[in-house]
Amino acid sequence: MPFGAGGSSARASPEVPEMAEPSKTEQRKAEHVNIILQENVSAEYNYWSDVRLVHNALPEIDLDDVDVRVTFLGKRLEAPLIISSMTGGFGMGKEINANLAKGAAEVGVAMGVGSQRAALEKPELASTYAVAKDYEVPLLFANLGAPQLVPQGGKRAYGVADAKKAMDMIDADALIIHLNFLQEIVQPEGDRRAKGCLAAIRTLAAKFPLMAKETGAGISRETASRLKEAGVQAIDVGGLGGTSFSAVEHYRARKEASSLKERLGATFWNWGIPTPASVRLADVGLPLVATGGVRSGLDVAKGIALGATMAGMAKPMLEAARVSADAVATELRAVVAELKAAMFLTGSTSINDLQERPVILSPPTASWLEPREA
Ligand SMILES: Cc1cc2nc3c(=O)[nH]c(=O)nc-3n(C[C@H](O)[C@H](O)[C@H](O)COP(=O)(O)O)c2cc1C
C-alpha cells in the first residue's frame, strides 16, 4: 500500500498547494520514503544482538516503581525516546509529520522533522514541516544537513539566518545538524565538499541549542571530541545497524541507470561504526542519543546501559505513521512497555540507574571497543 492510501491522518489539514514542477529535493524526499517502505534497506547485521543486559533474579523493586521519564536539552519527556528526523518537503510528508507529531505528543516523547532544505528552497513547502507544531511535542527538533552549511558548486551555504528560518518554521526547541557524507557520495546529485563544516557547526552552536547527528555511519571518539569542542550540546550517534542510506541511494541510482553510483551504494551498504560501539566511543561527556537499528524497548535499554540518555527510531515510526497517528502512539507505548520490563529485570528504577548497569558485549561490536580503537 503506498503511503496515504489508507488509514486516518492525525487531522484534516489543508493540502500542500499544487506546484507546477517538483524540485529535485522534493522528488528525493518522496523517493526516500517510498524506497524505505518498499525495499530491503537495512544493514546486513543488527549490532544490538551483540549487547546483553545482566538479569537480576531478585530486583527488589516493583514494576510500578520504574520511572522512564528523562530531561533532555532542558525538556522533560515521559520516556527517553525520539522519533528520528525523517521527512517533509513533499505532499505526503505533511501527513507523515502530522501522524508522527500527534503520536509523539500523546506519549510525551521527542521528535525531529526531516531536512528542511526543501522548504528553504521553496517556502510554499513549509507547511509540510510546520504541521508538527499543531501538536504539543515536548521537544521538537529542526533539521539541516552539514553539507548545506558550506558552498557546493553554484549553491550558496546556509548560515545563521537560514537556521533561524528552519527553527521558526516549526517553533523548534533545538536544531539538528545531520552528518551524511556517506549518503552524499552515493547519491546521484550528492554534495562533495566537506571542508568547513565544523567551523559552520561552531557558528550555529553559538546561536542555537544544537545536536549533531550521523545518519547511519556512526560517530567515532575523535569526531565526538571535535563536535564537543565546537560547542554542540548533544550527539545522536546515528550508527550502523538499521536503515542504510547507502542502500537507499543504491536503489535510487539503479532507477536512474547510474551504474557507478549503484555500485558504490552496494559496496558501502554496511559501512560505518555499529551503533552500540558508537555510543561507547562517542561518550565524551555530552548527552547521547542511540539511533540506528533500534527496534524495541530492549534495544533502547541496551543503548542507555551503554551510556546514552535517549534512543531514536526512524523506520519503525515511518511504518506506523503510514497507518495512522494512533499506530504511532501504539508503537511508542509498546517500546516504553519493553523498556520498563528491561528496567524491572535489571533492578533499575530510573534512567540513571539503568546507565549504571553492566553490559555484556560480544564480537563484532566488542572488537570496536578494544583499547587500540579510536
Ligand atoms: C524516510 C527517512 C528519511 C530520513 N531523512 C533524514 C533527514 O532528513 N535528516 C536526518 O537527520 N536523518 C534522516 N533520516 C535518518 C534517520 O533519522 C535515522 O538516523 C536512520 O534512519 C537510522 O534509524 P533507523 O534504523 O531506526 O531507521 C531518515 C530516515 C528515514 C527512514
Side-chain angles (χ1 to χ4, degrees), residues 254-268:
R254 184 194 280 181
K255 269 195 205 153
E256 297 191 9
S258 169
S259 57
L260 173 61
K261 297 290 176 171
E262 182 183 341
R263 176 171 163 167
L264 271 169
T267 304
F268 287 86

Side-chain angles (χ1 to χ4, degrees), residues 29 36 84-86 115 143 178 213 242-243 293 295 314-315:
K29 295 313 282 183
I36 288 167
S84 294
S85 315
M86 279 188 277
S115 166
N143 190 295
H178 70 257
K213 168 179 180 293
T243 305
R295 297 294 175 260
K315 188 175 180 228

Side-chain angles (χ1 to χ4, degrees), residues 13-312:
S13 48
E15 289 305 308
V16 177
E18 285 289 325
M19 249 84 56
E21 269 298 300
S23 69
K24 274 207 162 144
T25 310
E26 283 171 84
Q27 279 172 14
R28 183 169 58 241
K29 295 313 282 183
E31 281 171 24
H32 285 161
V33 166
N34 286 325
I35 288 171
I36 288 167
L37 288 172
Q38 286 159 18
E39 306 282 356
N40 172 17
V41 292
S42 293
E44 260 167 32
Y45 187 73
N46 188 314
Y47 296 84
W48 292 107
S49 12
D50 297 346
V51 184
R52 297 282 152 86
L53 299 175
V54 180
H55 176 62
N56 181 344
L58 275 173
E60 288 294 329
I61 58 170
D62 297 339
L63 181 57
D64 285 346
D65 297 335
V66 172
D67 183 356
V68 295
R69 287 174 302 169
V70 76
T71 300
F72 194 78
L73 296 181
K75 300 287 173 183
R76 191 77 172 148
L77 306 174
E78 291 300 312
L81 297 175
I82 170 165
I83 299 180
S84 294
S85 315
M86 279 188 277
T87 202
F90 72 109
M92 287 306 171
K94 182 171 186 174
E95 193 179 343
I96 300 173
N97 277 334
N99 286 350
L100 293 174
K102 187 170 186 219
E106 254 179 57
V107 183
V109 302
M111 170 187 166
V113 297
S115 166
Q116 289 164 268
R117 177 185 183 176
L120 292 183
E121 285 172 3
K122 250 190 186 183
E124 22 339 353
L125 293 171
S127 68
T128 64
Y129 303 90
V131 69
K133 67 181 176 184
D134 292 354
Y135 305 94
E136 299 285 318
V137 179
L139 173 56
L140 185 60
F141 287 95
N143 190 295
L144 290 175
Q148 283 79 60
L149 304 181
V150 295
Q152 301 283 352
K155 292 177 274 179
R156 75 172 178 88
Y158 289 159
V160 170
D162 303 284
K164 183 165 184 334
K165 264 189 212 161
M167 298 273 290
D168 290 347
M169 191 187 298
I170 61 165
D171 289 345
D173 301 296
L175 173 66
I176 284 174
I177 296 297
H178 70 257
L179 313 174
N180 68 330
F181 284 104
L182 167 60
Q183 178 185 14
E184 296 288 348
I185 54 165
V186 180
Q187 205 168 77
E189 67 283 20
D191 291 330
R192 302 291 186 280
R193 299 188 58 196
K195 258 188 229 161
C197 284
L198 189 62
I201 289 173
R202 181 177 289 115
T203 303
L204 294 182
K207 300 270 177 198
F208 310 102
L210 195 151
M211 177 160 82
K213 168 179 180 293
E214 239 293 345
T215 50
I219 301 274
S220 68
R221 181 164 309 249
E222 197 258 337
T223 303
S225 299
R226 287 191 293 155
L227 289 167
K228 183 182 181 190
E229 185 273 320
V232 312
Q233 291 194 7
I235 295 175
D236 182 333
V237 302
L240 172 67
T243 305
S244 158
F245 265 85
S246 192
V248 175
E249 297 299 345
H250 160 84
Y251 287 110
R252 284 188 65 229
R254 184 194 280 181
K255 269 195 205 153
E256 297 191 9
S258 169
S259 57
L260 173 61
K261 297 290 176 171
E262 182 183 341
R263 176 171 163 167
L264 271 169
T267 304
F268 287 86
W269 192 296
N270 293 295
W271 172 271
I273 304 169
T275 309
S278 190
V279 170
R280 274 278 160 89
L281 293 171
D283 192 355
V284 292
L286 291 176
L288 296 177
V289 181
T291 305
V294 171
R295 297 294 175 260
S296 71
L298 179 52
D299 294 341
V300 174
K302 291 174 181 180
I304 291 170
L306 283 165
T309 303
M310 306 251 286

